[in-house]
Amino acid sequence: MNAWQSSRVGLDRLVRYWQVWLMLYAANLLGALLLALLPSLSLVSEPGHRPAFREAADGLDAWYVLETLMAPGALEALGLAGPEPALTPFLQQVILLVLITLAAMPWLAWLPASFLNGGLLLIYTEAPQPFRWRRFLWGSWHWFGTFLLLGMVQALVFTFSLILGAILIALALSVSQWLVALLAAGLGLWLVLLLAVLEFSRAAAVIGDTKNAFRSLGRGLRFVFRHPWPVVGLYTLSLLLAAALHALFRLGLMPFLRLEWWLLVLPVQQAFILARLGVRLARLGGGAALMVEAQSPPVRAPAAAGVLQDSI
């Protein structure tokens, strides 16, 4: 199976199992609402400061949190500053609990996707079996811990790579612009390679029916390096489609949509988010198809007790 065929298979599974698509969209929407809770405080303290909803459409940036904490009047609104702060011990505990909860929101937003990815990949690897909710939920719970650990590994490796890449690019600024461009391109390719290895590692956990995250990482790494051209082609097509969607949205639609027309802007934004999620799910479906085909003979995840009859 080449990259074009795997991409078509991924799109077919995206449409065939539309329930998974909508479930992941709902989980992403919940995560976005949790992440928007903290920066929304700046909207209350500084209305009209900037078209924040336009920025929030692309997700939460790190400077949003920093700006919220540094916004004039934000600390006073929380009762943490002022000439004579008069807070009772009860109010101090409540404020501390609220701040801890807000700090934990990014982690809480991460949990739904980690939970649902197991069921998603199980449904995709068992195609063309019909969709079964019990089978989907069993797969989600079965690999929940494994995917949580893989998510932590991904977060740590991506963070370290970005920090190291930023330092190298900053040092190269005084040397040559060509070196900066070369380092930036190398960093981008490295991040895409990491993404491919981690996504195929999740698929390897489901296809091989293992809950060992590090064994899955090893299998995902071996698969990527043993099948470089189908993997490169699949991710190239997926990233090009994602870039085309971004260009259409940011350059073709948003300049002509005024935020006052929120009844029109909201469905356009959500359609873009749904399409962007669809590109990712199609890539996961295509990758699962590549990996299943590479098995000789194919290895299927066993059914949970009491669920086999529902999944056939």
Side-chain angles (χ1 to χ4, degrees):
M1 182 182 296
N2 57 36
W4 179 252
Q5 291 172 331
S6 63
S7 298
R8 292 182 59 185
V9 170
L11 289 173
D12 176 73
R13 294 181 182 180
L14 173 69
V15 176
R16 179 188 299 269
Y17 304 111
W18 56 268
Q19 302 94 329
V20 175
W21 192 4
L22 293 183
M23 179 69 72
L24 267 292
Y25 169 74
N28 285 352
L29 182 61
L30 175 62
L33 291 175
L34 291 174
L35 290 174
L37 192 59
L38 184 59
S40 64
L41 295 177
S42 64
L43 300 179
V44 176
S45 60
E46 292 189 274
H49 177 63
R50 61 163 51 87
F53 288 106
R54 181 185 296 274
E55 301 292 339
D58 294 329
L60 176 67
D61 293 322
W63 61 264
Y64 246 106
V65 179
L66 181 61
E67 184 187 42
T68 298
L69 297 177
M70 298 178 62
L75 295 180
E76 288 81 1
L78 292 173
L80 300 177
E84 296 180 359
L87 294 178
T88 64
F90 174 73
L91 287 179
Q92 291 177 354
Q93 293 176 3
V94 170
I95 290 174
L96 179 60
L97 178 60
V98 170
L99 292 177
I100 292 175
T101 303
L102 291 175
M105 285 303 180
W107 298 93
L108 296 177
W110 181 21
L111 293 179
S114 297
F115 176 73
L116 296 173
N117 277 336
L120 155 74
L121 287 170
L122 181 60
I123 294 299
Y124 280 176
T125 55
E126 291 184 338
Q129 295 287 339
F131 179 82
R132 293 289 185 269
W133 279 110
R134 291 181 63 186
R135 185 67 170 155
F136 173 78
L137 293 175
W138 178 83
S140 298
W141 177 253
H142 186 70
W143 284 284
F144 181 40
T146 305
F147 285 6
L148 267 181
L149 182 55
L150 287 174
M152 293 179 188
V153 171
Q154 179 174 345
L156 290 174
V157 174
F158 268 70
T159 301
F160 176 77
S161 300
L162 288 172
I163 292 175
L164 180 60
I167 292 174
L168 293 177
I169 290 174
L171 293 175
L173 285 173
S174 59
V175 178
S176 169
Q177 295 296 326
W178 288 103
L179 182 58
V180 170
L182 184 62
L183 287 174
L187 177 62
L189 292 175
W190 170 248
L191 293 178
V192 172
L193 175 62
L194 287 177
L195 178 65
V197 169
L198 287 161
E199 288 185 347
F200 277 104
S201 298
R202 293 181 175 92
V206 175
I207 295 171
D209 187 33
T210 177
K211 299 173 73 173
N212 188 315
F214 297 102
R215 182 181 299 169
S216 302
L217 273 173
R219 291 177 179 176
L221 186 64
R222 286 195 299 272
F223 180 84
V224 169
F225 282 96
R226 288 176 180 177
H227 305 83
W229 297 118
V231 172
V232 169
L234 175 65
Y235 277 76
T236 299
L237 290 174
S238 176
L239 293 176
L240 287 176
L241 182 55
L245 283 174
H246 275 277
L248 175 63
F249 177 71
R250 299 299 302 178
L251 303 178
L253 295 177
M254 288 305 294
F256 303 100
L257 294 177
R258 301 177 59 181
L259 293 180
E260 292 83 359
W261 305 340
W262 63 273
L263 284 175
L264 177 61
V265 173
L266 182 61
V268 170
Q269 290 177 339
Q270 295 308 306
F272 165 69
I273 294 172
L274 190 63
R276 184 174 59 185
L277 176 62
V279 172
R280 175 179 173 269
L281 295 183
R283 183 177 70 238
L284 291 178
L290 281 175
M291 212 166 199
V292 168
E293 188 186 57
Q295 301 294 317
S296 181
V299 178
R300 297 287 186 163
V307 183
L308 180 59
Q309 291 80 3
D310 292 330
S311 61
I312 298 178

